[in-house]
Amino acid sequence: MERERAALEQAQKEVEERRKRLAELEEEEQQKALEKLVKKVGRPNAIEILELSAAMKPKVAIDLLKQPKGSAALA
């Protein structure tokens, strides 16, 4: 019984370590994606976009940016 309990605890530790590693990998992936996008639009533009977006609610900024190109809101 004690051996099974120890094995279960070890398995739980391994699962927790895997979750932690997965979170780290996801963070690295997001960081790379951000760096790629900043490089694509340039640092000054990226900063301006983020500053303007921060001045309003993020949902509103995202909705505005997702509007079709011919939309009057972006014209």
Side-chain angles (χ1 to χ4, degrees):
M1 183 86 152
E2 189 62 35
R3 221 175 0 183
E4 289 178 19
R5 187 181 322 246
L8 180 59
E9 288 176 6
Q10 180 63 30
Q12 288 173 334
K13 287 180 185 178
E14 289 175 5
V15 167
E16 186 59 36
E17 289 173 8
R18 286 181 179 180
R19 284 186 181 146
K20 184 178 178 182
R21 180 65 181 144
L22 178 61
E24 291 172 357
L25 290 173
E26 289 173 343
E27 179 68 28
E28 289 174 12
E29 187 176 295
Q30 290 175 349
Q31 185 65 32
K32 287 179 185 178
L34 180 59
E35 290 171 7
K36 182 178 178 180
L37 291 169
V38 168
K39 185 176 180 180
K40 189 172 186 177
V41 299
R43 282 190 186 271
N45 288 334
I47 291 169
E48 186 173 7
I49 290 167
L50 289 171
E51 286 174 343
L52 292 170
S53 296
M56 61 180 76
K57 293 181 180 179
K59 177 81 171 117
V60 174
I62 291 168
D63 289 343
L64 286 172
L65 290 169
K66 285 184 174 180
Q67 288 182 355
K69 291 183 179 180
S71 177
L74 294 178

